[in-house]
């Protein structure tokens, strides 16, 4: 079959059109689209519509790889920087220790969930998880569930996960994260009853709502052309500096065999770490005010383009044959849920803190904002802030989790 799209500009134009159409319909007030996107999140379509086109032979071989190469080199570190730059550390601390405790509990629960799940299946069904490539695939799940799509893509690059396995992990991620999101939204309707069971102290939530509403009123503004140029200039200047720095650090670590064993000789690893640390440091400066003009939104837009580029490389044939991996991931998520509920009851944290802390990990900033809104519209920025914190930890947490998984299944 002759491919329909054979040139790079046409291929890029098509996937950008697909992403634009998804957002246009997702923003529609039509009842059909509202029901449709309540079931299928837009991020899934941004990946699997291009994947379906690629599987149908629409794109000529190699086009997806070229577009993804550009996206991974420039857009991925740029999105990580913009997301991290937007993090308001003082405001996160001002939300109270319990919400941060639940967020970090959720992060550690993701790491422990992977370790426990791999340990269990290593003993009861070793052929399901053993082998050099399986733990690499699950490294992308750890990156996603601690951070988000950008961290997931970073783990794919770091551990050289093949496209077929990565497509499977994307599907598993989207399936289980969506099920947990639906459960969270259902629980939000019964928050008062669940808070009584958790013996939660909810006195601070009203204060949080007042603080967030005041912050939004004081800082919201219309984005201007100078704002956009400052965002783009700062972002790609940092990305540009991170490339030679990452290469130099990788070359230095390459002389140590132990460092090579832990992938510390990867230039990409140090590039990602560099832009993340740069964003974190600059978040304490006036540069963070760029988020008032939409820095995190620009970073999110780059992530969606990256996801579409990833989809262009996926062949959907046989992706559903990996049901065993779905069960491994399901146990992983179940352990996470059990831990966050146990800790919430122990410290008397409200259901809101539990849900937004967990989903800021498993879903990211966008869905964490949806979860926060389900409790109160003014709380949406809380979800965004925690989701951004997750982006900061995602690559590092995913890396440590992956290395532990590697040792569990190592012969």
């Amino acid at each position: 079959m002759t491919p329909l799209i054979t040139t790079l500009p046409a291929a890029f134009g098509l996937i950008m059109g697909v992403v634009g159409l998804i957002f246009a319909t997702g923003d529609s007030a039509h009842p059909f689209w509202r029901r449709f996107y309540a079931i299928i999140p837009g991020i899934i379509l941004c990946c699997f519509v291009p994947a379906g086109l690629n599987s149908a032979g629409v794109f000529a071989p190699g086009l997806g790889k070229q577009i993804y190469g550009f996206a991974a080199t420039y857009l991925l570190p740029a999105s990580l920087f913009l997301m991290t730059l937007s993090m308001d550390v003082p405001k996160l601390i001002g939300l109270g220790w319990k919400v941060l405790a639940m967020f970090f509990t959720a992060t550690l629960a993701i790491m422990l969930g992977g370790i426990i799940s791999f340990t269990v299946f290593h003993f009861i069904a070793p052929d399901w998880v053993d082998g050099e490539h399986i733990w690499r695939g699950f490294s992308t799940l750890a990156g996603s569930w601690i951070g988000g799509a950008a961290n997931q893509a970073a783990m794919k690059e770091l551990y050289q996960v093949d496209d077929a396995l990565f497509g499977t992990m994307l599907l598993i991620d989207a399936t289980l994260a969506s099920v947990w999101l639906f459960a969270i939204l259902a629980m939000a309707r019964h928050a008062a009853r669940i808070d009584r069971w958790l013996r939660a102290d909810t006195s601070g939530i009203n204060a949080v709502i007042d603080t967030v509403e005041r912050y939004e009123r004081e800082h919201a503004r219309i984005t201007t052309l100078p704002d956009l140029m400052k965002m783009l200039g700062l972002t790609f200047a940092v990305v540009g500096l991170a490339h030679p720095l990452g290469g130099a650090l990788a070359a230095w670590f390459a002389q140590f065999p132990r460092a090579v064993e832990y992938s510390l000789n990867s230039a990409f690893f140090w590039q990602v770490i560099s832009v993340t640390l740069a964003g974190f440091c600059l978040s304490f400066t006036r540069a963070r005010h760029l988020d008032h003009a939409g820095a995190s939104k620009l970073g999110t837009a780059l992530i969606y383009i990256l996801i579409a580029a990833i989809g262009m490389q996926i062949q959907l044939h046989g992706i559903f044959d990996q049901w065993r991996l779905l069960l491994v991931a399901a146990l992983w998520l179940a352990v996470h849920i059990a831990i966050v509920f146990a800790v919430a009851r122990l410290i008397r944290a409200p259901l809101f803190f539990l849900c937004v802390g967990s989903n800021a990990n498993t879903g990211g900033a966008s869905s964490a904002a949806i979860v926060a809104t389900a409790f109160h519209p003014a709380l949406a920025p809380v979800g965004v802030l925690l989701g951004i914190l997750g982006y900061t930890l995602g690559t590092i947490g995913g890396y440590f989790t992956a290395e532990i998984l590697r040792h569990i299944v190592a012969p």
Side-chain angles (χ1 to χ4, degrees):
M1 178 180 174
T2 303
L4 180 64
I5 304 295
T6 58
T7 65
L8 201 60
F12 185 71
L14 178 58
I15 68 161
M16 288 302 297
V18 166
V19 172
L21 183 61
I22 290 170
F23 272 82
T25 53
D27 193 47
S28 172
H30 194 282
F32 170 79
W33 292 116
R34 287 190 175 275
R35 288 193 296 268
F36 179 82
Y37 284 101
I39 300 172
I40 304 177
I43 193 169
I44 297 177
L45 295 178
C46 285
C47 178
F48 286 99
V49 171
L53 295 173
N54 186 50
S55 300
V58 172
F59 301 114
L63 289 180
K65 185 176 182 179
Q66 292 181 64
I67 292 176
Y68 179 75
F70 170 82
T73 301
Y74 299 102
L75 303 189
L76 169 57
S79 65
L80 286 171
F81 174 76
L82 286 166
M83 289 295 189
T84 311
L85 175 69
S86 305
M87 185 172 62
D88 187 343
V89 177
K91 185 162 292 296
L92 282 174
I93 295 174
L95 294 175
W97 70 271
K98 287 185 180 179
V99 66
L100 292 175
M102 289 310 305
F103 171 83
F104 287 111
T105 294
T107 300
L108 291 174
I110 291 294
M111 300 176 71
L112 288 172
I115 294 167
I116 292 172
S117 180
F118 257 61
T119 301
V120 168
F121 281 100
H122 179 62
F123 283 103
I124 67 173
D127 56 311
W128 290 19
V129 296
D130 289 0
E132 180 64 20
H133 74 293
I134 297 298
W135 69 266
R136 293 177 184 271
F138 275 95
S139 73
T140 66
L141 192 65
S144 176
W145 281 359
I146 296 174
N151 307 100
Q152 186 176 35
M155 302 309 294
K156 177 187 186 298
E157 287 297 303
L158 176 62
Y159 288 109
Q160 296 297 299
V161 180
D162 67 78
D163 295 333
L165 179 58
F166 186 65
T168 300
M169 302 315 299
L170 280 174
L171 180 63
I172 291 172
D173 177 12
T175 300
L176 294 178
S178 296
V179 169
W180 178 223
L181 175 61
F182 295 156
I184 286 174
L185 295 178
M187 288 190 296
R189 300 177 182 178
H190 307 283
R193 184 183 306 171
I194 298 174
D195 280 334
R196 285 195 296 271
W197 178 81
L198 291 171
R199 299 174 299 176
D201 177 10
T202 60
S203 59
I205 292 183
N206 288 334
V208 171
I209 292 173
D210 292 340
T211 299
V212 171
E213 288 178 336
R214 185 170 60 253
Y215 181 83
E216 286 289 292
R217 288 194 301 267
E218 292 173 354
H219 294 92
R221 61 185 173 89
I222 298 173
T223 305
T224 64
L225 179 60
D227 289 329
L228 287 173
M229 296 312 296
K230 284 188 286 186
M231 278 188 275
L232 292 172
L234 178 61
T235 299
F236 287 103
V238 171
V239 171
L241 290 173
H243 275 258
L245 177 61
L249 288 170
W252 186 80
F253 277 101
Q255 62 185 312
F256 304 107
R258 192 67 173 174
V260 173
E261 181 182 351
Y262 287 92
S263 302
L264 295 180
N265 64 325
S266 168
F268 182 80
F269 174 81
W270 291 111
Q271 289 162 14
V272 168
I273 294 298
S274 298
V275 297
T276 302
L277 287 176
F280 176 78
C281 293
L282 288 174
S283 72
F284 290 94
T285 71
R286 291 179 61 85
R288 189 188 59 79
H289 295 166
L290 289 172
D291 190 49
H292 303 155
S296 60
K297 292 183 178 67
L298 178 59
T300 303
L302 298 181
I303 288 174
Y304 277 91
I305 297 171
L306 176 71
I307 288 295
I310 289 172
M312 288 184 68
Q313 300 184 90
I314 296 173
Q315 290 287 345
L316 296 177
H317 309 300
I319 201 170
F320 294 104
D321 294 337
Q322 302 293 339
W323 59 270
R324 295 177 180 84
L325 300 183
L326 180 63
L327 291 181
V328 175
L331 176 59
W332 184 332
L333 184 61
V335 171
H336 164 80
I337 294 171
I339 291 174
V340 294
F341 265 98
V343 172
R345 185 172 170 84
L346 178 66
I347 67 174
R348 300 177 61 197
L351 179 67
F352 167 68
F353 290 170
L354 182 157
C355 290
V356 76
S358 174
N359 194 259
N361 282 266
T362 60
S366 56
S367 63
I370 295 172
V371 168
T373 302
F375 287 86
H376 191 283
L379 293 173
V382 178
V384 174
L385 289 171
L386 290 179
I388 291 169
L389 180 58
Y391 291 131
T392 306
L393 301 177
T395 302
I396 297 174
Y399 171 77
F400 281 113
T401 304
E403 290 300 326
I404 295 172
L405 298 184
R406 178 165 72 94
H407 282 84
I408 290 173
V409 300

